[in-house]
Amino acid sequence: MVSMSSNPAARLPRSFALLGLSGIAPQAICLALVVHGGPERWIALAAGCAYAAVILSFLGGLWWMAALLAGRTEPGIMALAVLPSLFAWATFLPWCFGATWPGPSLVGLALALLASPLADRHLARTISFPAGWLRLRVAMATGLGVLTLAMAVA
């Protein structure tokens, strides 16, 4: 395994976990506004869809940098890192062509977010992440994915 830090056994600082998990809050607020209804419902749906897409794209950037720092530049790993941004972009195409309901886009984004720790696990086979990273990723992906899916069906 290749280490991303000088101390591969180093644990994630508590602030990483707290800030990472706080990233679920914007989606929770959007879901609350969607469930509440009213004129802000559509804005909350659009904002929640955009937030999920941005986070998914951000994950691809993390995978790209982790691979580069570990000296892993195979095309397959780089493709894995680019796919989240392309998929997130594709979820906005229905709106570009006049669709008025983001439900299918939200479902796609939710499923991609829920599956995203699988990419982290794949990378962890050859890249050493700090202790607790995979557990934190599962918690963050599950929280954001479930909230995004709830918005799709609300």
Side-chain angles (χ1 to χ4, degrees):
M1 273 190 215
V2 180
S3 174
M4 288 178 43
S5 69
S6 59
N7 182 3
R11 297 197 63 80
L12 287 175
R14 184 176 208 80
S15 61
F16 276 51
L18 293 174
L19 290 169
L21 292 171
S22 73
I24 298 169
Q27 206 70 332
I29 293 167
C30 287
L31 176 59
L33 291 171
V34 167
V35 170
H36 180 265
E40 60 276 343
R41 185 181 195 300
W42 176 250
I43 294 168
L45 283 169
C49 193
Y51 186 68
V54 165
I55 295 300
L56 188 61
S57 186
F58 175 76
L59 291 174
L62 287 176
W63 298 334
W64 180 281
M65 184 55 65
L68 284 176
L69 289 174
R72 301 280 315 277
T73 58
E74 312 80 85
I77 288 188
M78 296 295 105
L80 175 69
V82 170
L83 284 175
S85 296
L86 295 175
F87 183 78
W89 170 76
T91 64
F92 280 90
L93 290 179
W95 288 355
C96 295
F97 294 105
T100 58
W101 173 242
S105 295
L106 286 165
V107 169
L109 289 165
L111 294 176
L113 287 164
L114 289 167
S116 66
L118 296 174
D120 291 275
R121 288 184 197 276
H122 173 72
L123 290 172
R125 292 180 188 155
T126 55
I127 298 172
S128 179
F129 292 110
W133 172 250
L134 292 177
R135 190 173 63 235
L136 177 60
R137 278 287 298 119
V138 168
M140 292 185 302
T142 300
L144 188 56
V146 167
L147 290 170
T148 303
L149 192 57
M151 284 179 44
V153 300

